[in-house]
Amino acid sequence: MKILVTGGAGYIASHTNVELLKEDYEVVVLDNLSNSVEESIHRAEALSGKSITFYQADLLDYETLDAVFKAEKFDAVIHFAGLKAVGESCQIPLRYFDNNITGTINLLKAMEEHSVKKLVFSSSATVYGHAKEMPIKEDAPLSAMNPYGRTKLIIEDMLRDIYASDNSWDIALLRYFNPIGAHESGEIGEDPNGIPNNLVPYIAKVAVGALDNIHVFGNDYDTPDGTGIRDYIHVVDLAIGHVKAIEKLNSNPGLVTYNLGTGVGYSVLEIIKNYEAACQKALPYVIDPRRPGDAAVCYSDASKAERELGWVAKRGIKEMCEDSWRWQSKNPNGYNK
Ligand code: NAD
Ligand code: UFG
């Protein structure tokens, strides 16, 4: 089976490529490298001993996209490509709407034109907005809290409309909770540009000596230690979830939606403690005010994915921190050595 992986040089996709190749899928990557480097593709090839076809192209360029669909006969698409920084999306919303929504519309047009109607979409727990009930189930109310989240919600809505109009599509909406960690080899991992926005990449930079202090955004939440609680999921477990979703689409389920999380929440201070154990050093932190827009607590009910995909996250917080640290310490400057 030949799979198009959009955004295939990125963090989650590079781990998914390894899992797809392991299961003998053919992988074709399309990425404009706006937030990644080609080296991640070569490392995924080296880890799996198999090759990946790579097109450096932008989803906004419909002609090239159409040519790629013509040249390759895809059986399915996993659509990771998108801009993902929440803060940046508030500053340049139009760029986010154009890149994420127009890019997806182009992809869907090409899929329709070439009769490729199996799609896995990278959605996010952000579509639940500030959820009232924990753990969050797939049928919880949806809302957008920022332009980035709005792009995810709009794309989900578009996909529901497309499926309603033509039920020959098979679509899996995967709502990720907080992906962290890296491949156990330390060869691929998360390599954010500039100062990381997310907690664990930030901690990793402090651990490796590139940044001074961790900034804990608020210790006055209504949680046991006052810091925010999230459902962190090992990126390799998440990657395997995509292979399971492709298998599911082969049984023609129509449009399906799954939370991919562990169902367990950890606080910021618990993550720092676990990371200290992994890197075997004390990590300095300061308490800052709350970050606007942050929820106190967010964790999944992931039982639907277990029931329907036969998928469950197996790697715990210790492995998440150890694998993140292995990647960061082996590659202190990310892919650009
Ligand atoms: P990433 O930035 O590492 O990967 C995204 C990739 O898409 C990058 O390689 C980038 O170059 C590429 N890309 C962006 N716009 C493109 C375009 N117009 N044409 C071609 N390629 C383009 O991000 P990631 O963390 O691997 O996230 C992958 C997907 O999962 C994204 O859609 C993101 O919104 C979603 N997601 C991520 C998280 C998270 O915390 N990492 C959580 C929930 C959902
Ligand atoms: N945090 C800090 N210091 C930091 C960064 C974060 O204390 O330097 C705290 C946050 O306040 C929050 C927790 O660490 O309590 C996690 O924050 P992240 O920025 O790592 O992750 P978020 O839960 O805010 O959001 C991430 C992605 C979103 C996505 C969401 C759910 O950035 O795009 O996970 O998948 F929608």
Side-chain angles (χ1 to χ4, degrees), residues 161-182:
D161 286 344
I162 286 170
Y163 177 68
S165 76
D166 174 1
N167 61 19
S168 67
W169 282 81
D170 290 295
I171 299 173
L173 308 179
L174 302 184
R175 296 180 181 152
Y176 313 155
F177 280 67
N178 290 55
I180 61 167

Side-chain angles (χ1 to χ4, degrees), residues 3-8 28-31 57-70 72 74-82 97-122 152 155 158-159 162 169-173:
I3 318 264
L4 170 64
V5 181
T6 76
V28 176
V29 164
L30 183 145
D31 199 304
D58 197 307
L59 285 179
L60 295 178
D61 171 5
Y62 184 78
E63 259 176 46
T64 303
L65 193 56
D66 186 53
V68 171
F69 270 82
K70 229 174 244 150
E72 310 276 351
F74 297 120
D75 298 294
V77 176
I78 306 182
H79 179 31
F80 290 103
F97 297 147
D98 195 27
N99 190 77
N100 294 5
I101 299 173
T102 313
T104 301
I105 290 173
N106 281 346
L107 175 67
L108 293 169
K109 279 186 187 163
M111 289 180 73
E112 184 149 70
E113 178 67 30
H114 296 274
S115 300
V116 182
K117 292 191 170 177
K118 289 190 194 307
L119 174 69
V120 177
F121 173 60
S122 295
K152 292 295 176 194
I155 294 167
M158 287 186 337
L159 293 172
I162 286 170
W169 282 81
D170 290 295
I171 299 173
L173 308 179

